[in-house]
Amino acid sequence: PRIRSRKWYWPIFSWVVGVSLVASWKLWLSHVSSDEKKNNKGGFLHFIRTINHGIRADVVERRQTRPERLLTDRNSEQRYDMIGHFVDETTSKLVCKNCREEKGIKSRTIYHCIKCKVGLHPGRCFLKYHT
């Protein structure tokens, strides 16, 4: 049989999530008092929305509390010391640090500074980043 889509697993994943939600809802109903069942007017849809809201709130909270990577003084001094900075080719593509800081674009390059270990286009970006 030929697989028509690369995402052949998606219907299986969706089914597993749906079955898990129904099972957890039924488990919740078996452990909740009759007063709480009466207050839950939305039924299964309300239960799914509550779970979705909880997951999204957790993700937003994690994004807000994520520490930002700051350039340390040692790295900035090393960046401008003009000693041992050479362009080298890598096997993977990196985001050019200078293009990202100056233009706000994620231009990719296969070159990097071997001392700073940041992706930089050879020539103008390399010189501008280090001066």
Side-chain angles (χ1 to χ4, degrees), residues 64-119:
Q64 291 173 349
T65 58
R66 182 177 64 198
E68 295 296 324
R69 291 181 10 185
L70 300 174
L71 197 61
T72 62
D73 290 337
R74 185 183 68 81
N75 286 341
S76 62
E77 288 175 8
Q78 175 182 329
R79 174 179 169 179
Y80 299 113
D81 69 0
M82 300 301 233
I83 301 170
H85 297 277
F86 298 104
V87 178
D88 192 23
E89 198 170 322
T90 63
T91 55
S92 62
K93 288 192 172 189
L94 304 169
V95 175
C96 177
K97 187 84 167 178
N98 186 59
C99 289
R100 178 122 190 215
E101 288 176 358
E102 269 193 0
K103 304 169 192 168
I105 58 172
K106 290 185 179 181
S107 179
R108 298 201 175 267
T109 179
I110 59 169
Y111 299 100
H112 75 288
C113 175
I114 59 172
K115 187 172 183 180
C116 299
K117 295 181 176 65
V118 294

